[in-house]
Amino acid sequence: MTFGTSLKRGITAALAGGLLVTGMSTAAQAAAEPIQPAEYGILAISNAPCDADGATGNDGDLAEALNGVLTDKLDGYMTAYRVSCAREIIEAVRERGLARRAAVIAVDTSIVETGLQNHDVEVDHDSLGLFQQRASWGSVANRLDPAWATNAFLNKMIDKFPGNGWQTAPVGEVAQTVQVSAYPDRYAVEAADAARIVDAVWDFAVDRPYDSFTGDAKADLVVHTGTDVGVRKGTGSGFADLGVVTSGWGRFHGMQVTNGMGRLYYGDFNGDHWTDMIVHSGTDVSVRLNTKAGGFDSGRVVSSGWGRFHGMDVTDGLGRLYFADYNGDGFTDMVVHQGSDVSVRLNTRNGGFDGGRVVTTGWGRFHGLNVPNGLGRLYFADYDGDGFDDLVVHSGTEVSVRLNTRNGGFDGGRVVTTGWGRFHGLNVTDGLGRLYFADYDGDGFDDLIVHQGSDVSVRLNTGSGFDGGRVVTTGWGRYHGLNVTNGLGRFYLA
């Protein structure tokens, strides 16, 4: 079963409203949990943290939103702490590469057993933890570790349902088979709410850097049309229009527009998983932080001296800038392509970038096909899903990837797809369109996104290349840049 579309709209609306929770300690959060009436059977006992770092503000946002859509035991009783417990369960499922249904079954079981709480006092003989696992399952420390406890549950589930039978058997039946409860009928009742919780939390339960405008793991479509910047939320099966989020950017489509002032980029500058807007205006680079309420703040300058880095087509141009997470810490770094060198200035986490270092060289003919004897262009994306952005090279018809070595550079590379000779931009002879790289389906691996004519299609990352693709949105024929005939603007994946 799925409640994804309607629930995600509700979650998006709630997050856009800027709902927040106070930053109390984990112990205080557990102590402050609202207790349901006695008939719900949830004990008012001590709970251990689920996330060692405590519940997050985003957990609180999700809890508030879920309280508007749940229908059974936890209706009105979701809290940041309970969401953090669901998040840890879902993260364990995702780390094993299991289908979403496994998370629904596990969350359903924890709702019934403990109300999504990590009981650290043995009850009902010697039961403990999120799933009330008996002492025969493992040590006290193991049963109180959400990852260990979830994996123990999943191991037994897979053992009891060989051939992936758990994927088709009713949720309540699977839970009962694993738990052998004296109250077998309780699990089926909570299955719908378990699915709602998993749908809400799934994209946030990823143990790696990720970012998007809406804070989940799926890239959103950011559209710069005229003076307006709008967002279409990535759903994994297309994009949902969230409307205009900021305006006044008519002179930021690039320096080649009339009286052009600069251009826009997008990245997670402050490491909170929400994509910020980065503005290159004249010599300055400034950042407008995502407010998490449907827009950006007024910004501040974070680096200066980049007046000749709007591209090689500006007067005396030295190169261009990119923004990517080079060192895998979740904070967007500044990548400078100057002449043949590519250098990285790491995000200092205190409002700027460091002095930088060269990480690869030999790319003097990769500023775009419009430079003399141009061979192609560069991108930065996380191809192998390790959280470190890799170097993607579009040279002629081929797209190759040089993996981030994590020790100061990139490896020798390999071709991952070919046949893209006419996709360096519509300004090349017989140009068909251009390429982007972003995580469309939220699995942690950046996919190939193709803007051809009016269509935008996605080729999912297979781990050894990309699949055959499918069109996910259309009507963008005038968004290849303002230098196309009757051009309306351009878009980004962020």
Side-chain angles (χ1 to χ4, degrees):
M1 70 183 67
T2 179
F3 299 85
T5 302
S6 60
L7 176 62
K8 285 174 182 173
R9 286 177 183 154
I11 297 297
T12 299
L15 291 176
L19 298 170
L20 298 173
V21 294
T22 57
M24 66 178 73
S25 69
T26 302
Q29 287 166 347
E33 293 301 309
I35 303 301
Q36 290 92 331
E39 63 263 27
Y40 283 112
I42 294 181
L43 304 176
I45 65 174
S46 174
N47 297 310
C50 283
D51 184 336
D53 294 325
T56 67
N58 196 60
D59 291 335
D61 295 344
L62 292 171
E64 293 280 358
L66 281 163
N67 278 326
V69 296
L70 299 182
T71 60
D72 210 80
K73 179 188 291 187
L74 294 182
D75 179 23
Y77 294 97
M78 283 302 289
T79 60
Y81 170 72
R82 283 188 167 113
V83 171
S84 76
C85 292
R87 176 165 51 79
E88 292 295 311
I89 292 171
I90 296 167
E91 183 178 309
V93 171
R94 294 196 65 160
E95 286 296 309
R96 282 183 73 148
L98 293 177
R100 188 179 297 231
R101 185 176 178 80
V104 173
I105 295 166
V107 169
D108 171 83
T109 303
S110 183
I111 291 173
V112 172
E113 297 293 344
T114 65
L116 272 178
Q117 299 176 109
N118 195 17
H119 290 342
D120 61 1
V121 174
E122 290 184 327
V123 296
D124 189 18
H125 303 293
D126 53 12
S127 299
L128 200 65
L130 282 165
F131 301 95
Q132 287 296 275
Q133 292 163 334
R134 301 289 302 274
S136 59
W137 284 65
S139 68
V140 168
N142 282 340
R143 287 178 288 152
L144 288 178
D145 179 345
W148 187 96
T150 301
N151 276 291
F153 176 89
L154 296 172
N155 289 341
K156 190 168 182 180
M157 178 188 78
I158 291 168
D159 180 64
K160 293 289 186 179
F161 289 85
N164 291 327
W166 56 269
Q167 297 209 44
T168 55
V171 170
E173 177 186 322
V174 179
Q176 170 60 15
T177 301
V178 175
Q179 297 294 103
V180 195
S181 170
Y183 304 96
D185 296 335
R186 292 182 177 179
Y187 299 109
V189 174
E190 300 295 340
D193 274 356
R196 294 181 177 108
I197 292 169
V198 171
D199 276 344
V201 180
W202 180 267
D203 284 341
F204 300 90
V206 186
D207 188 19
R208 61 170 178 79
Y210 64 86
D211 61 88
S212 69
F213 176 79
T214 51
D216 63 13
K218 296 185 182 73
D220 303 311
L221 182 66
V222 180
V223 182
H224 187 184
T225 177
T227 65
D228 295 337
V229 173
V231 173
R232 297 195 172 210
K233 175 179 169 55
T235 64
S237 58
F239 299 96
D241 193 0
L242 301 183
V244 174
V245 298
T246 184
S247 193
W249 304 102
R251 296 168 65 187
F252 286 84
H253 291 270
M255 296 298 285
Q256 78 273 28
V257 302
T258 304
N259 297 319
M261 297 188 73
R263 64 159 294 176
L264 308 179
Y265 302 83
Y266 298 87
D268 183 8
F269 180 76
N270 61 344
D272 64 355
H273 295 322
W274 296 70
T275 296
D276 308 304
M277 184 164 75
I278 301 171
V279 182
H280 186 185
S281 177
T283 65
D284 294 338
V285 172
S286 61
V287 172
R288 297 195 169 211
L289 295 178
N290 192 315
T291 63
K292 305 182 184 180
F296 303 101
D297 71 11
S298 57
R300 76 279 310 143
V301 174
V302 296
S303 187
S304 195
W306 303 104
R308 297 168 66 187
F309 286 84
H310 290 270
M312 297 296 286
D313 56 340
V314 302
T315 304
D316 298 323
L318 289 174
R320 65 159 293 175
L321 307 179
Y322 307 81
F323 294 88
D325 186 5
Y326 176 75
N327 62 345
D329 65 353
F331 293 74
T332 290
D333 308 303
M334 183 162 71
V335 182
V336 182
H337 186 185
Q338 179 173 2
S340 66
D341 294 340
V342 173
S343 61
V344 173
R345 297 195 169 211
L346 295 179
N347 190 314
T348 62
R349 305 193 188 188
N350 62 1
F353 303 100
D354 70 10
R357 78 276 312 144
V358 174
V359 295
T360 184
T361 193
W363 305 103
R365 297 169 64 188
F366 286 84
H367 290 268
L369 283 180
N370 54 338
V371 302
N373 300 316
L375 289 174
R377 65 160 294 177
L378 307 179
Y379 305 82
F380 295 87
D382 185 7
Y383 176 76
D384 59 350
D386 65 352
F388 294 73
D389 279 340
D390 309 302
L391 174 63
V392 182
V393 182
H394 187 185
S395 177
T397 66
E398 295 177 346
V399 173
S400 61
V401 173
R402 297 194 171 213
L403 296 179
N404 190 316
T405 62
R406 305 192 190 187
N407 63 2
F410 303 98
D411 70 11
R414 76 278 310 140
V415 174
V416 294
T417 184
T418 191
W420 304 102
R422 297 167 65 186
F423 286 84
H424 291 269
L426 283 178
N427 55 339
V428 303
T429 304
D430 297 324
L432 289 175
R434 65 158 293 177
L435 308 180
Y436 302 81
F437 297 87
D439 186 3
Y440 175 76
D441 57 353
D443 65 352
F445 296 79
D446 280 342
D447 308 301
L448 172 63
I449 300 172
V450 183
H451 186 187
Q452 179 173 4
S454 65
D455 294 340
V456 174
S457 61
V458 172
R459 297 194 171 212
L460 295 179
N461 190 320
T462 64
S464 58
F466 303 98
D467 71 11
R470 77 277 313 140
V471 173
V472 295
T473 183
T474 193
W476 304 102
R478 297 166 67 187
Y479 286 84
H480 291 269
L482 282 179
N483 56 340
V484 302
T485 304
N486 298 321
L488 288 174
R490 62 165 296 176
F491 60 71
Y492 313 78
L493 279 299

